[in-house]
Amino acid sequence: MEGYEIRLIHAHEGGRNVAYNCDKADSEAKIIRIAFLNDRSREDFLGEVEYIRYLFEHGGSVSDVVNSRKGNLLEEITHNNHTFYICLFNKAKGKMLVENNYQYREGVPITEYYYNCGKVLGKMHQLSKGYTPVHSRYNFFDKYNADYIDKLIPDSLSLLKEKLVDLLTTLEGMDRNHESFGMVHFDYCDGNYMIDFDTGQITVFDFDNSCFCWYLFDLAGLWTQGVGWTQFEPDAGKRKKFMDDYFEVVLEGYRSETAIEPSMLDKLPLFIQVTLMENIVDAFEVMRNNGEEPSCDEELSYRIKCLEDDIPYMGFFDDIYSCEEPFDYEERDIRL
């Protein structure tokens, strides 16, 4: 990295790595990622970077890993008896949507963006169907299981625990065949890809949560991402119409690269509930890792309410939803 200007990237809440932008005139920009927590193993990291390299080499629109001088995708450094895992990536071309004030390409319909979101995801899933890992990432149920839920979620939220275990029981009974279950990104959202605003091309990064799961989970994440485009619309019927149209274009892009069975798509409401579970678990993990007492702000309370009361589609078409305060609900006082 000699000659590169190296600048720290501001970390988001709950971030598990330190990352740096690396810029140099007449050279492709890079990202250094240093993992310092002991929550992941060498096997986890190798499983991640090998999957990224596989996707890149087979035409997936992802930020490739850069080999070290020793030819490795991952370097391991031990200092004062603490192990750091270091990776270098080519920086994705373009900008995040938020950096462009959520404005898409001038003169181009926003439906191109919806289509491309689905298409890039479909390509990754199609490649995953032919992927055999050397170092394997974990399985969804290795993390999301009744024992972990019981330890993580406070006992005062007993109904939530019960609903989460019921949800997991339903998932455990689902088919995990080659066409429906494989390596997924597990955090496919506009914070984890760049858009080339000259061409519309999307380049995906941050596979730190990638695991073996149903492909529909990533699609459900795309559905939840779409609500932001119409969250301030007061008419629930119009919100529903927008989401149906939005997701139809996403699926058109997705199906241009890979197939998905109609019977699986019928389970979209179930997997939107699974995305809520992931959000809730993540929120409590962040509190635990930061040494904070468990608490529920308005947004977390809203997500919990949707699961406890079996309200589908994140409550987006339900009376619980307020366009003035999207996805907010009264704070809960958790007493341990």
Side-chain angles (χ1 to χ4, degrees):
M1 304 309 298
E2 194 173 329
Y4 278 83
E5 179 189 355
I6 299 177
R7 293 172 289 111
L8 180 67
I9 298 172
H10 180 68
H12 63 80
E13 185 180 8
R16 301 186 295 168
N17 308 296
V18 177
Y20 297 85
N21 268 314
C22 308
D23 296 299
K24 183 180 180 181
D26 302 322
S27 296
E28 188 173 0
K30 306 283 193 293
I31 300 287
I32 288 179
R33 187 189 73 187
I34 302 173
F36 59 93
L37 297 178
N38 61 1
D39 59 344
R40 291 150 292 172
S41 68
R42 183 172 182 273
E43 181 97 356
D44 290 329
F45 289 113
L46 285 172
E48 176 196 358
V49 293
E50 287 170 0
Y51 176 58
I52 294 169
R53 174 58 60 83
Y54 167 83
L55 291 175
F56 181 81
E57 288 182 340
H58 290 81
S61 189
V62 302
S63 293
D64 192 21
V65 194
V66 179
N67 289 60
S68 71
R69 281 183 170 179
K70 297 176 183 176
N72 300 324
L73 299 177
L74 176 74
E75 286 295 339
E76 184 178 331
I77 295 175
T78 301
H79 178 70
N80 288 341
N81 297 317
H82 191 95
T83 300
F84 300 84
Y85 292 100
I86 304 174
C87 305
L88 185 67
F89 302 90
N90 286 322
K91 187 174 181 179
K93 186 177 180 182
K95 295 193 293 188
M96 287 193 286
L97 203 55
V98 66
E99 294 172 328
N100 209 47
N101 299 312
Y102 285 97
Q103 301 298 308
Y104 193 56
R105 305 203 296 141
E106 191 174 346
V108 177
I110 189 68
T111 49
E112 178 192 85
Y113 168 63
Y114 305 157
Y115 182 91
N116 285 347
C117 284
K119 184 177 181 65
V120 168
L121 182 63
K123 178 70 172 180
M124 290 196 300
H125 287 176
Q126 180 59 33
L127 292 173
S128 287
K129 292 173 184 179
Y131 180 59
T132 303
V134 177
H135 296 86
S136 187
R137 293 283 289 179
Y138 60 90
N139 184 292
F140 174 85
F141 291 107
D142 291 336
K143 176 173 181 178
Y144 297 93
N145 56 69
D147 286 344
Y148 186 61
I149 294 296
D150 188 51
K151 291 174 185 174
L152 181 69
I153 306 295
D155 290 337
S156 54
L157 294 173
S158 57
L159 179 56
L160 173 64
K161 283 188 176 187
E162 180 184 322
K163 292 293 185 178
L164 291 176
V165 171
D166 287 347
L167 184 55
L168 289 169
T169 301
T170 300
L171 292 173
E172 285 167 355
M174 282 185 57
D175 195 359
R176 299 175 215 177
N177 64 58
H178 162 80
E179 286 296 314
S180 64
F181 192 94
M183 274 288 282
V184 302
H185 186 281
F186 210 75
D187 195 14
Y188 186 70
C189 65
D190 60 35
N192 285 333
Y193 51 69
M194 296 288 193
I195 303 169
D196 183 338
F197 284 92
D198 292 330
T199 64
Q201 180 62 43
I202 290 172
T203 305
V204 188
F205 55 87
D206 194 355
F207 285 77
D208 202 12
N209 292 321
S210 58
C211 64
F212 284 89
C213 183
W214 288 273
Y215 297 122
L216 189 55
F217 179 89
D218 279 349
L219 274 170
L222 259 187
W223 188 95
T224 64
Q225 183 174 306
V227 303
W229 297 106
T230 189
Q231 63 182 344
F232 299 114
E233 167 57 54
D235 188 316
K238 290 181 180 178
R239 292 199 299 272
K240 177 73 164 60
K241 175 69 165 60
F242 175 89
M243 291 305 297
D244 288 346
D245 292 344
Y246 158 78
F247 203 61
E248 185 179 334
V249 177
V250 167
L251 284 176
E252 186 183 348
Y254 186 83
R255 285 175 166 140
S256 73
E257 295 290 347
T258 195
I260 182 166
E261 291 292 324
S263 59
M264 182 56 78
L265 270 180
D266 290 342
K267 295 180 172 60
L268 178 65
L270 171 69
F271 275 86
I272 291 172
Q273 297 294 79
V274 179
T275 68
L276 285 177
M277 175 178 69
E278 188 275 331
N279 291 153
I280 291 167
V281 167
D282 182 69
F284 281 103
E285 284 180 336
V286 169
M287 287 182 258
R288 179 197 62 192
N289 294 339
N290 290 342
E292 301 169 3
E293 289 296 317
S295 63
C296 291
D297 60 15
E298 290 92 341
E299 185 177 347
L300 181 55
S301 295
Y302 181 95
R303 297 176 188 278
I304 291 172
K305 179 72 172 173
C306 287
L307 275 179
E308 287 182 340
D309 291 2
D310 300 314
I311 304 173
Y313 295 105
M314 297 173 59
F316 200 43
F317 315 126
D318 192 88
D319 290 341
I320 188 179
Y321 183 78
S322 166
C323 63
E324 286 86 16
E325 297 179 321
F327 307 109
D328 277 2
Y329 191 69
E330 60 191 55
E331 282 194 33
R332 297 177 176 224
D333 182 20
I334 294 181
R335 301 189 184 279
L336 301 179

